[in-house]
Amino acid sequence: MQTKSPALAVMTFTLLTAPLAHAQGEPTKSASVDLNGDGKPESISLTWDEPKDEFVLKAGNSTIRGGTDGNAPDGFVVVDLDSSDKRKELVVSTGQTDYDKQQHLYAFDGKTLKSIGNVPALTEAKGNGIILSDSWQGFWNRRDKYALDKKGNIIEVPQELYAVGVEATVKQSFPLARNRTDKSAVATLAQGSKIQVLAAAPLGPPGEYLYLVKSATGLLGWATAKDLTGKTEGLPLAG
């Protein structure tokens, strides 16, 4: 993993490891908690199956397995995603970098432990059934919204654009396209001018985007990641 500048590293670490709202304690390998709201605590444990490279999560008499990146999870955390009900959820964190971290979420209905979804990070979970999740995209944090559906599963709430909000200085002139499909230039950025990267539009392949940029003259247009990272300076890039 590449190393970020000290200030940026602190910012990113804070976003991705902030204490969970409505979470109970630090990661643990065992606990006794009422997960389904019936007033009777379940015995919960997390163990590591090294030959299969899987963690084994148990609640009551139910067991579920999950894959990892080869590293045993530190433990599980109990969270309350929806404070309007009596239920609690379990979170197992896997991954070692900003790019491969995943939070695996589970619910127990009194008989069966089931997966209800994964998110990159639980950046904000205030007990209102909504999760805000940040994931690092090279020079900006992508914030995704997830929500509990009527069946208690976590679903992503799609966004057409993602807020970026970083500034840079043009070191080599390049054009801004009129829109995402028309590459005709609406503006040509002057060397030494300041720009604002306002938003990112996902392309087909995961992790690829076009960026909405505001020029120093107040014009809006679209730029590629290649132009931004290769022809500007000042972006908070890792490395």
Side-chain angles (χ1 to χ4, degrees):
M1 174 185 172
Q2 294 178 309
T3 303
K4 302 181 183 68
S5 63
L8 182 62
V10 170
M11 178 188 73
T12 304
F13 179 83
T14 301
L15 286 169
L16 298 183
T17 62
L20 306 182
H22 294 260
Q24 298 181 3
E26 297 296 321
T28 182
K29 295 291 180 67
S30 63
S32 182
V33 178
D34 180 11
L35 294 176
N36 63 317
D38 65 355
K40 301 176 182 179
E42 280 75 43
S43 177
I44 310 165
S45 67
L46 181 71
T47 56
W48 173 242
D49 187 340
E50 186 170 357
K52 293 186 177 181
D53 189 21
E54 292 178 338
F55 62 81
V56 182
L57 182 64
K58 295 183 179 180
N61 295 320
S62 182
T63 300
I64 197 166
R65 288 174 171 264
T68 75
D69 60 350
N71 295 285
D74 292 334
F76 62 85
V77 175
V78 180
V79 297
D80 186 359
L81 296 180
D82 186 353
S83 57
S84 67
D85 61 31
K86 296 181 180 181
R87 296 185 293 273
K88 303 291 189 297
E89 292 77 30
L90 299 173
V91 183
V92 179
S93 179
T94 61
Q96 301 296 308
T97 74
D98 295 340
Y99 302 98
D100 66 5
K101 281 184 178 179
Q102 283 289 302
Q103 313 299 315
H104 306 262
L105 292 106
Y106 301 93
F108 182 71
D109 63 4
K111 295 182 179 180
T112 304
L113 188 63
K114 72 168 187 173
S115 171
I116 58 173
N118 296 350
V119 299
L122 271 76
T123 306
E124 184 177 300
K126 294 184 176 180
N128 58 359
I130 294 171
I131 295 171
L132 299 181
S133 180
D134 288 345
S135 56
W136 187 246
Q137 302 297 311
F139 62 87
W140 60 286
N141 265 310
R142 168 173 163 161
R143 172 157 288 192
D144 286 290
K145 178 181 178 180
Y146 298 84
L148 289 172
D149 66 10
K150 293 181 179 179
K151 295 182 179 180
N153 294 313
I154 295 170
I155 58 171
E156 184 177 352
V157 179
Q159 300 175 70
E160 182 179 3
L161 300 175
Y162 292 91
V164 177
V166 300
E167 296 184 351
T169 301
V170 178
K171 65 180 182 181
Q172 180 182 341
S173 179
F174 63 93
L176 295 180
R178 291 181 181 177
N179 58 52
R180 281 178 270 179
T181 57
D182 184 353
K183 295 183 179 180
S184 300
V186 67
T188 300
L189 301 176
Q191 183 178 357
S193 65
K194 304 290 186 180
I195 62 170
Q196 294 177 316
V197 186
L198 303 178
L203 298 175
E208 293 190 13
Y209 305 90
L210 280 176
Y211 293 91
L212 183 62
V213 174
K214 181 181 178 181
S215 73
T217 58
L219 297 175
L220 293 179
W222 294 90
T224 65
K226 182 178 179 180
D227 279 342
L228 288 177
T229 57
K231 297 179 181 179
T232 73
E233 56 189 5
L235 291 175
L237 292 165

